[in-house]
Amino acid sequence: MFRIEAAEILLVRLPLKFRFETSFGVQTEKLVPLLILRGDGVQGLSEGTMEAAPMYREETIVGALNLLREVFLPRVLGRTFANPEALEAALGGFRGNRMARAMVEMAAWDLWARTLGVPLGTLLGGYKREVEVGVSLGIQADETATVDVVRRHVEQGYCRIKLKIKPGWDVQPVRAVREAFPGIRLTVDANSAYTLADSGRLAALDAYSLTYIEQPLAWDDLVDHAELQRRLTTPLCLDESVASAGDARKGLALGAGRVINIKVARVGGHAEARRVHDVAQAFGAPVWCGGMLESGVGRAHNIHLSTLPGFTLPGDTSSASRYWETDVVNEPLEATDGVMPVPPGPGIGVTLNRDFVGRRAELQEEYRA
């Protein structure tokens, strides 16, 4: 059992070390919402992955923070729970807003694990002490720049290279990279930029031995993905369109994809992420852990989730130093030769760098029961 006695909301602006372009646009910084839950002398950490504008999914930072203040935190503060899954009774009746709910649920998992003195991955049912990781590369200026940035990361040993694509920038970079690196594990991510009318263009990618094409069609679609999968030999990977274990079951049953990207915040927290994992295992579909340019808090949660047995493909949890000059946590989260160690110790295994966060925080609010 654990008790939630107090909460703290922080909003930290972090500059990225590079320009990151996707089909959504260009990103040069990240606004990071953090939640701290406290109880019995222990604290649990979580990170929100929603953005300022509803580009990836429908949630926004402003909306999420207001829900935390007005709806979610009042329902958990001052209460004792048997385990984090018991929070579903308090929060499960609300529709949507899974990323905002995940902030409370994930912080509760960390709090509970630290109370028990056990690593989060162990409580979730994981067993790995290290996980394979890949790298997600944004859209570059041209094919030469794309090959160059891929080369740097191949030399660093990453187990999978993922290229962001969009209409007009798809076959060209993939062809260039595959010709330069015929043996690497290569994937692409469209972030919902295509329609079924583009199936001929997407079918051209079948020639390049991709492990999967990630979320080519609409963020809330399964039916057209199923039709597209019938037209392609390359497996489709579902991302945005899987917000629950039910969505995963429907998508796999329809044949809308053969791989699932699990982003723990997108599905509402660790409990539902584990259910998605279990559904995928029942269908024989591999899963991997996606990333949202997380700081060290969210990255540590992702690493622990990736210790579950069904995570057989490299995730997006590459080295934190790729993204940030200084992270929000004290412990370095660094991969070597494509392998990321699981942070040791109880909970997610990292602690907040309070001095740095205090300097970078644009908002800090505290709440008590």
Side-chain angles (χ1 to χ4, degrees):
M1 301 181 70
F2 66 98
R3 181 175 174 81
I4 301 176
E5 299 168 351
E8 182 179 0
I9 296 173
L10 296 157
L11 193 58
V12 182
R13 189 178 299 273
L14 297 179
L16 280 165
K17 292 173 70 173
F18 54 87
R19 178 181 182 274
F20 190 64
E21 181 176 348
T22 71
S23 61
F24 293 139
V26 177
Q27 194 167 356
T28 58
E29 62 180 11
K30 183 73 185 293
L31 198 55
V32 180
L34 298 172
L35 177 66
I36 304 171
L37 296 181
R38 297 188 175 93
D40 299 322
V42 180
Q43 65 180 25
L45 309 174
S46 70
E47 175 175 342
T49 59
M50 67 291 295
E51 299 169 330
M55 301 294 290
Y56 172 75
R57 291 276 308 188
E58 69 276 22
E59 293 184 67
T60 65
I61 291 174
V62 170
L65 295 186
N66 189 60
L67 280 171
L68 287 176
R69 298 181 189 108
E70 303 296 330
V71 181
F72 297 154
L73 290 180
R75 282 165 172 78
V76 300
L77 285 171
R79 294 185 58 183
T80 298
F81 296 91
N83 53 53
E85 290 169 303
L87 269 73
E88 292 188 21
L91 304 179
F94 300 104
R95 295 183 180 179
N97 298 286
R98 292 178 181 271
M99 292 180 177
R101 280 188 288 160
M103 290 185 71
V104 181
E105 196 256 19
M106 293 167 71
W109 273 100
D110 187 31
L111 177 63
W112 189 46
R114 292 179 195 258
T115 299
L116 297 175
V118 176
L120 173 60
T122 301
L123 288 183
L124 293 174
Y127 64 91
K128 305 170 190 174
R129 295 188 177 181
E130 58 186 25
V131 297
E132 283 192 324
V133 296
V135 66
S136 179
L137 303 177
I139 295 170
Q140 306 297 311
D142 52 36
E143 293 169 36
T144 300
T146 302
V147 171
D148 287 345
V149 72
V150 168
R151 178 176 290 108
R152 291 200 301 273
H153 290 88
V154 169
E155 290 172 351
Q156 292 170 20
Y158 282 104
C159 298
R160 179 222 65 198
I161 301 294
K162 181 169 78 174
L163 302 178
K164 295 288 187 176
I165 62 171
K166 64 181 180 180
W169 183 253
D170 37 46
V171 176
Q172 314 96 297
V174 170
R175 181 193 300 119
V177 170
R178 181 53 83 200
E179 289 176 353
F181 305 97
I184 65 170
R185 183 179 284 169
L186 183 63
T187 72
V188 296
D189 183 7
N191 289 116
S192 306
Y194 295 82
T195 70
L196 199 55
D198 299 307
S199 60
R201 186 72 175 175
L202 293 168
L205 295 172
D206 281 340
Y208 301 104
S209 301
L210 300 178
T211 305
Y212 52 77
I213 299 170
E214 186 178 351
Q215 195 70 34
L217 307 182
W219 67 275
D220 56 352
D221 168 75
L222 291 175
V223 175
D224 281 356
H225 276 97
E227 176 58 32
L228 178 62
Q229 183 67 91
R230 285 190 284 271
R231 301 180 187 184
L232 304 182
T233 59
T234 304
L236 296 184
C237 173
L238 300 175
D239 177 1
E240 286 96 318
S241 54
V242 173
S244 67
D247 289 341
R249 178 186 59 79
K250 294 170 187 174
L252 292 170
L254 284 169
R258 301 174 191 157
V259 180
I260 301 289
N261 167 352
I262 299 180
K263 290 177 178 167
V264 58
R266 186 191 73 230
V267 301
H270 284 297
E272 192 68 12
R274 190 167 56 184
R275 295 184 193 111
V276 174
H277 164 275
D278 294 348
V279 166
Q281 280 201 308
F283 278 88
V287 302
W288 57 278
C289 187
M292 293 284 287
L293 301 180
E294 287 94 344
S295 75
V297 172
R299 193 171 304 274
H301 274 280
N302 290 346
I303 295 168
H304 279 273
L305 178 66
S306 299
T307 64
L308 272 67
F311 286 84
T312 57
L313 296 177
D316 280 343
T317 48
S318 54
S319 295
S321 61
R322 287 191 63 238
Y323 302 95
W324 324 113
E325 290 291 349
T326 304
D327 203 348
V328 302
V329 299
N330 294 302
E331 296 76 10
L333 299 176
E334 298 297 306
T336 302
D337 294 328
V339 175
M340 176 71 75
V342 178
I348 58 173
V350 298
T351 55
L352 208 59
N353 183 340
R354 292 297 316 208
D355 289 342
F356 175 70
V357 168
R359 295 194 302 271
R360 301 292 308 188
E362 298 187 358
L363 178 147
Q364 181 176 2
E365 299 174 350
E366 297 191 16
Y367 300 87
R368 299 196 68 83

